Amino acid sequence: MKIVRSVVELRDLVRGARQGGARIGLVPTMGAFHDGHLELMRRAREQSGFVVVSLFVNPTQFNDQADLSRYPRDEARDAELARGVGVDVLFAPAVAEVYPDGFASSVQVAGLSEPLEGTMRGPGHFRGVATVVTKLLNMVQPDVAYFGQKDAQQALIIRRLVRDLDIPTHIEICPTVREPDGLAMSSRNVRLDPTARQRAPTLARALRAVEASVAEGEHDAGRALAAGEAILAEAGIAPEYFAAVSSDTLEPVARITGETLVAIAAKVGGVRLIDNVLVHPGSHER
Ligand code: AMP
Protein backbone atom coordinates (compact mmCIF):
# COMPACT_ATOMS: atom_id res chain seq x y z
CA MET A 1 0.00 0.00 0.00
CA LYS A 2 1.29 3.42 -0.95
CA ILE A 3 0.64 6.51 1.14
CA VAL A 4 0.23 9.47 -1.19
CA ARG A 5 0.02 13.19 -0.37
CA SER A 6 -0.31 14.89 -3.74
CA VAL A 7 -3.01 14.84 -6.39
CA VAL A 8 -0.36 14.50 -9.12
CA GLU A 9 1.06 11.31 -7.62
CA LEU A 10 -2.43 9.96 -6.93
CA ARG A 11 -3.44 10.49 -10.55
CA ASP A 12 -0.26 8.81 -11.83
CA LEU A 13 -0.95 5.68 -9.79
CA VAL A 14 -4.62 5.54 -10.75
CA ARG A 15 -3.79 6.07 -14.43
CA GLY A 16 -1.32 3.18 -14.32
CA ALA A 17 -3.89 0.88 -12.73
CA ARG A 18 -6.59 1.86 -15.21
CA GLN A 19 -4.26 1.29 -18.17
CA GLY A 20 -3.66 -2.18 -16.76
CA GLY A 21 -7.42 -2.78 -16.99
CA ALA A 22 -8.30 -2.44 -13.30
CA ARG A 23 -11.67 -1.22 -12.10
CA ILE A 24 -11.06 1.65 -9.66
CA GLY A 25 -12.84 1.82 -6.27
CA LEU A 26 -12.76 4.83 -3.92
CA VAL A 27 -13.65 4.95 -0.22
CA PRO A 28 -13.69 8.53 1.11
CA THR A 29 -13.11 8.79 4.88
CA MET A 30 -12.02 11.14 7.63
CA GLY A 31 -9.93 8.43 9.31
CA ALA A 32 -10.06 7.02 12.86
CA PHE A 33 -11.03 3.75 11.24
CA HIS A 34 -13.52 1.33 12.75
CA ASP A 35 -15.25 -1.69 11.31
CA GLY A 36 -17.77 0.50 9.43
CA HIS A 37 -14.92 1.99 7.40
CA LEU A 38 -13.23 -1.39 7.01
CA GLU A 39 -16.44 -2.93 5.64
CA LEU A 40 -16.54 -0.28 2.91
CA MET A 41 -12.90 -1.05 2.10
CA ARG A 42 -13.54 -4.83 2.05
CA ARG A 43 -16.46 -4.33 -0.30
CA ALA A 44 -14.29 -2.15 -2.54
CA ARG A 45 -11.51 -4.76 -2.41
CA GLU A 46 -13.93 -7.50 -3.53
CA GLN A 47 -15.32 -5.46 -6.39
CA SER A 48 -12.35 -3.49 -7.70
CA GLY A 49 -8.88 -4.26 -8.96
CA PHE A 50 -7.49 -1.04 -7.49
CA VAL A 51 -8.70 0.46 -4.21
CA VAL A 52 -8.05 4.04 -3.13
CA VAL A 53 -8.98 5.17 0.39
CA SER A 54 -8.88 8.88 1.08
CA LEU A 55 -8.16 10.08 4.60
CA PHE A 56 -8.91 13.75 4.97
CA VAL A 57 -10.52 15.51 7.92
CA ASN A 58 -12.31 18.11 5.86
CA PRO A 59 -12.28 21.42 7.76
CA THR A 60 -15.01 23.02 5.64
CA GLN A 61 -17.71 20.61 6.83
CA PHE A 62 -17.22 21.34 10.53
CA ASN A 63 -19.51 24.01 11.86
CA ASP A 64 -17.91 23.71 15.29
CA GLN A 65 -14.17 24.41 15.53
CA ALA A 66 -13.92 22.53 18.83
CA ASP A 67 -15.39 19.45 17.15
CA LEU A 68 -12.78 19.76 14.38
CA SER A 69 -9.88 20.09 16.81
CA ARG A 70 -11.14 17.16 18.93
CA TYR A 71 -11.68 14.91 15.91
CA PRO A 72 -9.64 11.71 16.53
CA ARG A 73 -6.58 11.36 14.28
CA ASP A 74 -4.11 8.48 14.11
CA GLU A 75 -2.77 8.06 10.61
CA ALA A 76 -0.25 5.36 11.50
CA ARG A 77 -2.96 3.12 12.97
CA ASP A 78 -5.31 3.85 10.05
CA ALA A 79 -2.58 3.00 7.54
CA GLU A 80 -1.98 -0.34 9.28
CA LEU A 81 -5.71 -1.19 9.19
CA ALA A 82 -6.08 -0.18 5.54
CA ARG A 83 -3.00 -2.23 4.62
CA GLY A 84 -4.56 -5.21 6.38
CA VAL A 85 -7.64 -5.01 4.17
CA GLY A 86 -5.48 -4.86 1.04
CA VAL A 87 -6.00 -1.21 0.08
CA ASP A 88 -3.68 -0.11 -2.76
CA VAL A 89 -3.41 3.62 -2.08
CA LEU A 90 -4.07 5.67 1.05
CA PHE A 91 -4.48 9.25 -0.13
CA ALA A 92 -3.84 11.50 2.88
CA PRO A 93 -3.35 15.05 1.63
CA ALA A 94 -2.61 18.16 3.68
CA VAL A 95 -5.32 20.83 3.84
CA ALA A 96 -3.34 23.06 1.43
CA GLU A 97 -3.29 20.30 -1.21
CA VAL A 98 -7.09 20.15 -1.19
CA TYR A 99 -7.74 23.87 -0.65
CA PRO A 100 -4.89 25.82 -2.28
CA ASP A 101 -4.64 29.58 -1.83
CA GLY A 102 -7.47 31.34 -3.60
CA PHE A 103 -9.82 28.35 -3.48
CA ALA A 104 -13.25 29.82 -4.26
CA SER A 105 -15.61 27.16 -5.66
CA SER A 106 -18.24 25.06 -3.99
CA VAL A 107 -20.95 22.52 -4.70
CA GLN A 108 -24.37 23.02 -3.16
CA VAL A 109 -27.15 20.44 -3.40
CA ALA A 110 -30.28 22.49 -2.70
CA GLY A 111 -33.23 21.03 -0.84
CA LEU A 112 -31.68 17.79 0.42
CA SER A 113 -28.98 19.73 2.30
CA GLU A 114 -31.45 21.75 4.36
CA PRO A 115 -33.39 19.54 6.82
CA LEU A 116 -32.10 17.30 9.64
CA GLU A 117 -28.29 17.62 9.75
CA GLY A 118 -28.49 20.74 7.58
CA THR A 119 -30.65 22.49 10.15
CA MET A 120 -28.57 21.41 13.12
CA ARG A 121 -25.10 21.89 11.61
CA GLY A 122 -25.87 24.86 9.36
CA PRO A 123 -25.91 25.32 5.57
CA GLY A 124 -22.12 25.10 5.30
CA HIS A 125 -21.96 21.49 6.46
CA PHE A 126 -23.27 19.74 3.38
CA ARG A 127 -21.71 22.37 1.10
CA GLY A 128 -18.40 21.30 2.62
CA VAL A 129 -19.23 17.61 2.18
CA ALA A 130 -20.53 17.98 -1.40
CA THR A 131 -17.52 20.07 -2.42
CA VAL A 132 -14.88 17.74 -1.01
CA VAL A 133 -16.59 14.62 -2.34
CA THR A 134 -16.85 16.19 -5.82
CA LYS A 135 -13.14 17.02 -5.63
CA LEU A 136 -12.23 13.48 -4.55
CA LEU A 137 -14.36 12.00 -7.34
CA ASN A 138 -12.58 14.26 -9.84
CA MET A 139 -9.14 13.47 -8.45
CA VAL A 140 -9.59 9.69 -8.59
CA GLN A 141 -12.31 9.32 -11.26
CA PRO A 142 -13.31 5.96 -9.75
CA ASP A 143 -15.72 3.49 -11.33
CA VAL A 144 -17.37 2.99 -7.95
CA ALA A 145 -17.33 5.03 -4.72
CA TYR A 146 -18.50 3.54 -1.42
CA PHE A 147 -20.43 5.35 1.32
CA GLY A 148 -22.24 4.24 4.50
CA GLN A 149 -25.97 4.24 5.20
CA LYS A 150 -24.96 5.50 8.69
CA ASP A 151 -24.83 8.98 7.09
CA ALA A 152 -28.10 8.57 5.19
CA GLN A 153 -28.59 12.23 4.29
CA GLN A 154 -25.01 12.51 3.07
CA ALA A 155 -25.50 9.39 0.92
CA LEU A 156 -28.64 10.88 -0.67
CA ILE A 157 -26.87 14.18 -1.35
CA ILE A 158 -23.92 12.42 -2.99
CA ARG A 159 -26.20 10.30 -5.17
CA ARG A 160 -27.97 13.48 -6.26
CA LEU A 161 -24.84 15.49 -7.03
CA VAL A 162 -23.34 12.65 -9.06
CA ARG A 163 -26.53 12.46 -11.07
CA ASP A 164 -26.95 16.24 -11.43
CA LEU A 165 -23.32 16.89 -12.41
CA ASP A 166 -22.95 13.83 -14.70
CA ILE A 167 -20.08 12.37 -12.71
CA PRO A 168 -19.47 8.91 -14.20
CA THR A 169 -19.09 7.07 -10.88
CA HIS A 170 -21.46 4.47 -9.48
CA ILE A 171 -22.32 5.26 -5.85
CA GLU A 172 -22.70 2.24 -3.60
CA ILE A 173 -24.28 2.60 -0.17
CA CYS A 174 -23.29 -0.03 2.43
CA PRO A 175 -25.32 -1.01 5.51
CA THR A 176 -24.58 0.53 8.92
CA VAL A 177 -22.12 -1.54 10.94
CA ARG A 178 -23.04 -1.74 14.64
CA GLU A 179 -21.47 -2.76 17.94
CA PRO A 180 -22.99 -5.92 19.46
CA ASP A 181 -25.28 -3.74 21.64
CA GLY A 182 -26.63 -1.91 18.58
CA LEU A 183 -24.62 1.31 18.79
CA ALA A 184 -23.75 2.46 15.28
CA MET A 185 -19.97 2.55 14.88
CA SER A 186 -18.59 6.06 14.64
CA SER A 187 -15.20 7.69 14.96
CA ARG A 188 -16.74 9.85 17.68
CA ASN A 189 -17.61 6.84 19.88
CA VAL A 190 -14.07 6.87 21.33
CA ARG A 191 -15.00 10.16 23.02
CA LEU A 192 -17.87 8.57 25.00
CA ASP A 193 -17.00 8.13 28.68
CA PRO A 194 -18.07 4.81 30.26
CA THR A 195 -21.46 6.16 31.42
CA ALA A 196 -22.22 7.75 28.06
CA ARG A 197 -21.08 4.59 26.27
CA GLN A 198 -23.67 2.64 28.25
CA ARG A 199 -26.43 5.10 27.34
CA ALA A 200 -25.46 5.53 23.69
CA PRO A 201 -27.21 2.36 22.38
CA THR A 202 -30.51 3.98 23.44
CA LEU A 203 -30.58 5.71 20.03
CA ALA A 204 -30.53 2.37 18.21
CA ARG A 205 -33.11 0.94 20.63
CA ALA A 206 -35.44 3.86 19.92
CA LEU A 207 -35.05 3.30 16.17
CA ARG A 208 -35.73 -0.42 16.58
CA ALA A 209 -38.89 0.37 18.55
CA VAL A 210 -40.19 2.50 15.67
CA GLU A 211 -39.27 -0.23 13.22
CA ALA A 212 -41.13 -2.82 15.32
CA SER A 213 -44.18 -0.60 15.62
CA VAL A 214 -44.30 -0.11 11.84
CA ALA A 215 -43.75 -3.82 11.24
CA GLU A 216 -46.73 -4.53 13.49
CA GLY A 217 -48.90 -2.38 11.25
CA GLU A 218 -48.67 1.15 12.67
CA HIS A 219 -48.80 3.49 9.68
CA ASP A 220 -49.21 6.75 11.58
CA ALA A 221 -45.74 8.31 11.78
CA GLY A 222 -46.43 10.19 15.01
CA ARG A 223 -47.63 7.07 16.80
CA ALA A 224 -44.75 4.97 15.48
CA LEU A 225 -42.22 7.59 16.61
CA ALA A 226 -43.89 7.73 20.04
CA ALA A 227 -42.66 4.18 20.71
CA GLY A 228 -39.09 5.42 20.33
CA GLU A 229 -39.68 8.72 22.10
CA ALA A 230 -40.73 6.81 25.22
CA ILE A 231 -37.43 4.92 25.24
CA LEU A 232 -35.43 8.12 24.79
CA ALA A 233 -37.37 9.92 27.54
CA GLU A 234 -36.84 7.04 29.94
CA ALA A 235 -33.07 7.32 29.36
CA GLY A 236 -33.19 11.12 29.75
CA ILE A 237 -32.09 11.71 26.15
CA ALA A 238 -33.58 14.76 24.41
CA PRO A 239 -32.85 14.31 20.69
CA GLU A 240 -31.95 17.22 18.41
CA TYR A 241 -34.30 15.56 15.94
CA PHE A 242 -36.12 12.26 15.76
CA ALA A 243 -38.09 12.18 12.56
CA ALA A 244 -39.79 10.03 9.95
CA VAL A 245 -39.07 11.39 6.48
CA SER A 246 -39.33 10.26 2.87
CA SER A 247 -36.24 8.23 1.98
CA ASP A 248 -36.15 10.08 -1.37
CA THR A 249 -36.86 13.70 -0.55
CA LEU A 250 -36.31 13.86 3.24
CA GLU A 251 -39.68 15.57 3.59
CA PRO A 252 -41.51 14.67 6.80
CA VAL A 253 -44.21 12.05 6.39
CA ALA A 254 -47.44 11.85 8.39
CA ARG A 255 -48.22 8.31 7.22
CA ILE A 256 -45.76 5.54 6.56
CA THR A 257 -46.92 4.20 3.23
CA GLY A 258 -43.59 3.60 1.47
CA GLU A 259 -39.93 3.29 2.37
CA THR A 260 -39.34 5.79 5.17
CA LEU A 261 -36.14 7.00 6.80
CA VAL A 262 -36.31 7.30 10.56
CA ALA A 263 -33.38 9.48 11.61
CA ILE A 264 -32.07 10.64 14.96
CA ALA A 265 -29.39 12.96 16.29
CA ALA A 266 -28.70 13.37 20.00
CA LYS A 267 -25.91 14.39 22.30
CA VAL A 268 -24.96 11.71 24.80
CA GLY A 269 -22.44 12.76 27.44
CA GLY A 270 -21.50 15.77 25.29
CA VAL A 271 -20.83 13.65 22.17
CA ARG A 272 -23.10 14.21 19.19
CA LEU A 273 -24.31 10.93 17.69
CA ILE A 274 -26.47 10.23 14.63
CA ASP A 275 -28.20 7.06 13.52
CA ASN A 276 -31.06 5.98 11.27
CA VAL A 277 -33.05 3.05 10.02
CA LEU A 278 -35.11 2.50 6.86
CA VAL A 279 -38.60 1.21 7.64
CA HIS A 280 -41.20 -0.28 5.32
CA PRO A 281 -44.91 -0.41 5.97
CA GLY A 282 -46.02 -3.65 7.58
CA SER A 283 -48.61 -5.97 6.18
CA HIS A 284 -51.38 -5.17 8.70
CA GLU A 285 -53.29 -1.94 8.08
CA ARG A 286 -54.05 0.06 11.22
P1 AMP B 1 -16.35 9.28 8.09
O1 AMP B 1 -14.92 8.91 8.24
O2 AMP B 1 -17.11 9.32 9.36
O3 AMP B 1 -16.56 10.49 7.20
O4 AMP B 1 -17.02 8.08 7.30
C1 AMP B 1 -16.49 7.62 6.07
C2 AMP B 1 -17.51 6.73 5.42
O5 AMP B 1 -17.77 5.62 6.28
C3 AMP B 1 -18.85 7.42 5.18
O6 AMP B 1 -19.38 7.01 3.93
C4 AMP B 1 -19.69 6.91 6.31
O7 AMP B 1 -21.08 6.89 6.02
C5 AMP B 1 -19.16 5.50 6.47
N1 AMP B 1 -19.45 5.00 7.82
C6 AMP B 1 -19.18 5.62 9.00
N2 AMP B 1 -19.64 4.87 10.02
C7 AMP B 1 -20.22 3.76 9.47
C8 AMP B 1 -20.89 2.62 10.00
N3 AMP B 1 -21.05 2.44 11.32
N4 AMP B 1 -21.35 1.69 9.14
C9 AMP B 1 -21.20 1.85 7.80
N5 AMP B 1 -20.57 2.91 7.23
C10 AMP B 1 -20.09 3.85 8.05
Side-chain angles (χ1 to χ4, degrees):
M1 185 183 80
K2 281 216 158 126
I3 300 180
V4 170
R5 311 275 173 206
S6 78
V7 178
V8 169
E9 196 186 345
L10 173 68
R11 284 216 164 113
D12 274 353
L13 289 168
V14 173
R15 191 178 306 115
R18 186 172 289 113
Q19 279 167 357
R23 183 174 143 106
I24 313 295
L26 170 66
V27 182
T29 80
M30 299 206 299
F33 294 158
H34 50 65
D35 218 39
H37 297 113
L38 299 181
E39 268 304 302
L40 301 185
M41 295 177 208
R42 289 185 197 111
R43 174 100 61 122
R45 182 68 285 166
E46 278 166 30
Q47 299 182 349
S48 309
F50 193 77
V51 177
V52 178
V53 172
S54 62
L55 191 178
F56 181 61
V57 182
N58 177 32
T60 66
Q61 72 188 69
F62 284 81
N63 52 316
D64 174 357
Q65 285 312 298
D67 189 28
L68 173 61
S69 58
R70 279 197 304 255
Y71 202 83
R73 296 168 201 245
D74 188 345
E75 186 186 301
R77 173 182 171 275
D78 286 347
E80 233 10 80
L81 289 167
R83 192 173 283 118
V85 176
V87 168
D88 295 296
V89 169
L90 183 68
F91 176 54
V95 172
E97 180 71 6
V98 179
Y99 300 113
D101 273 352
F103 186 87
S105 307
S106 64
V107 177
Q108 173 88 36
V109 179
L112 290 177
S113 297
E114 286 150 26
L116 306 174
E117 288 299 284
T119 305
M120 300 316 301
R121 301 188 65 176
H125 170 63
F126 283 121
R127 194 182 326 126
V129 171
T131 303
V132 81
V133 170
T134 302
K135 285 173 65 70
L136 290 165
L137 292 173
N138 283 335
M139 290 171 191
V140 178
Q141 300 184 353
D143 297 285
V144 191
Y146 298 83
F147 295 88
Q149 176 63 24
K150 159 85 180 352
D151 298 281
Q153 186 172 10
Q154 169 177 289
L156 265 184
I157 288 169
I158 290 163
R159 279 219 154 114
R160 180 66 62 84
L161 83 82
V162 161
R163 192 201 71 176
D164 287 357
L165 302 180
D166 303 300
I167 297 175
T169 295
H170 174 73
I171 301 300
E172 190 148 323
I173 309 300
C174 304
T176 302
V177 178
R178 299 179 179 281
E179 300 288 353
D181 61 11
L183 174 64
M185 290 190 183
S186 163
S187 302
R188 291 189 170 83
N189 290 355
V190 297
R191 287 176 25 216
L192 294 164
D193 66 29
T195 314
R197 175 63 190 80
Q198 275 209 322
R199 293 173 69 219
T202 310
L203 274 62
R205 281 178 42 229
L207 291 171
R208 282 204 304 270
V210 179
E211 191 177 37
S213 166
V214 173
E216 282 163 18
E218 182 60 80
H219 287 197
D220 181 87
R223 282 202 293 268
L225 286 169
E229 283 159 357
I231 288 171
L232 294 166
E234 200 181 317
I237 293 174
E240 291 181 3
Y241 60 78
F242 184 44
V245 298
S246 153
S247 62
D248 272 345
T249 65
L250 300 180
E251 277 160 19
V253 297
R255 301 221 17 108
I256 297 175
T257 53
E259 187 182 72
T260 300
L261 179 72
V262 183
I264 185 167
K267 277 200 173 141
V268 181
V271 181
R272 189 169 185 278
L273 302 175
I274 62 170
D275 199 354
N276 69 84
V277 69
L278 284 170
V279 300
H280 305 87
S283 44
H284 323 283
E285 193 60 56
R286 189 183 287 179

